[in-house]
Amino acid sequence: MPALRTALLQSSGELGDVAANLKVLDEAAARAAAAGAGLLLAPELFLTGYAIGADIARLAEPADGPSARAVAAIAARHGLAVGYGYPERDTGVHGVIYNAAQLFGPDGAALAHYRKTHLFGDFELKWFTPGDTAVVQAELGGLTLGLMICYDVEFPENVRAQALAGTDLLLVPTALMHPAEIVPEAVVPVRAFENQMYIAYANRTGPEGDFEFVGLSTLAAPDGTARVRAGRGEDLVVGDVDPDFLAASRAENPYLRDRRPGLYGPLVHDRA
């Protein structure tokens, strides 16, 4: 099975300007496709910006809204899958907004949609409703892809659930802030190692409102190494997700085989 070349877009785009951010995404898709990538991942809330406060309510769109159709067209035009974060308006429940991520295939077909399950900080808790589905997956190029968003990957149970469901490559649109650099530098590679998967972690960068995003977007491999890692500024980095290496690593690493689930029941209960 051929490797899936994966591009990570590290950018904060233009705050509150969806049209400008779609243009950034289109240009990044062209560059990624020229580099041989079959998948492009953009950061958390990429289409609108993160620090937009009450504008979340104005800029949020349904999962099949005009911006989603524009991203689908970008994917089809450049012939690669595109994953990205955006604020989703629930058309069935008035006033409910999710911090969401969506993945379109290289033909523009919708492959997966995910709502962030672990909200971070006062800003997210004020404006978003948490999702209630931990494992969302799609198939691409013979690989099983999973989706989650930023803070979600910092919970070991969350990533283990993906591993047990067979995820090969976990896509994580991110808006990680200073001083949490330990997450891309250490936590994400460890998650990839302990769960025997690749993790693509695409972050925002630079100052935005009260936030300072740290970049360091990372493609981590199942041996715990960062196959590519961006710096602190705007960037597009590309690395390969190798199914043969993944299979060999899983054959050598016994973590998932040696688990004893009967001992872990207390992990699912809140501490008193």
Side-chain angles (χ1 to χ4, degrees):
M1 188 187 304
L4 175 62
R5 184 153 292 177
T6 301
L8 308 180
L9 173 59
Q10 181 165 288
S11 173
S12 289
E14 298 292 333
L15 189 63
D17 191 335
V18 174
N21 295 329
L22 286 168
K23 182 178 179 182
V24 171
L25 189 65
D26 191 22
E27 292 170 350
R31 292 166 56 200
L39 170 65
L40 170 66
L41 182 65
E44 180 178 4
L45 294 177
F46 179 72
L47 289 190
T48 59
Y50 188 92
I52 57 176
D55 268 356
I56 288 278
R58 178 177 63 86
L59 295 172
E61 295 184 21
D64 59 354
S67 293
R69 294 193 292 273
V71 176
I74 289 170
R77 181 161 56 250
H78 298 290
L80 80 172
V82 177
Y84 66 101
Y86 77 107
E88 178 205 357
R89 179 182 297 112
D90 187 337
T91 56
V93 184
H94 179 71
V96 171
I97 300 173
Y98 297 98
N99 185 338
Q102 194 149 223
L103 176 67
F104 288 98
D107 59 355
L111 296 182
H113 184 271
Y114 173 80
R115 293 164 172 173
K116 189 173 185 178
T117 55
H118 296 76
L119 300 179
F120 178 81
D122 293 340
F123 167 72
E124 291 188 22
L125 290 168
K126 178 178 180 179
W127 293 107
F128 296 114
T129 297
D132 58 8
T133 302
V135 177
V136 171
Q137 294 174 309
E139 299 297 317
L140 180 68
L143 294 169
T144 299
L145 277 54
L147 270 176
M148 59 178 58
I149 299 173
C150 196
Y151 194 39
D152 291 329
V153 81
E154 298 175 39
F155 292 81
E157 303 92 339
N158 228 28
V159 186
R160 179 53 53 87
Q162 289 276 352
L164 295 177
T167 293
D168 301 311
L169 169 61
L170 183 60
L171 306 181
V172 189
T174 294
L176 185 82
M177 309 155 196
H178 177 77
E181 286 87 344
I182 190 173
V183 177
E185 292 175 342
V187 173
V188 168
V190 167
R191 290 284 178 273
F193 177 70
E194 66 191 6
N195 291 289
Q196 287 301 290
M197 61 173 60
Y198 283 87
I199 300 180
Y201 186 85
N203 197 17
R204 307 180 68 82
T205 181
E208 190 177 316
D210 295 332
F211 306 108
E212 177 72 30
F213 299 109
V214 302
L216 303 176
S217 298
T218 301
L219 177 64
D223 61 356
T225 64
R227 293 305 169 88
V228 293
R229 178 176 286 137
R232 298 296 186 113
E234 300 272 329
D235 208 345
L236 181 75
V237 295
V238 180
D240 287 336
V241 173
D242 184 345
D244 292 335
F245 181 83
L246 177 60
S249 182
R250 286 174 169 173
E252 291 292 326
N253 187 309
Y255 283 160
L256 297 181
R257 294 193 301 275
D258 290 349
R259 293 172 62 252
R260 296 182 61 193
L263 300 178
Y264 311 145
L267 290 178
V268 301
H269 302 296
D270 291 336
R271 295 178 64 183

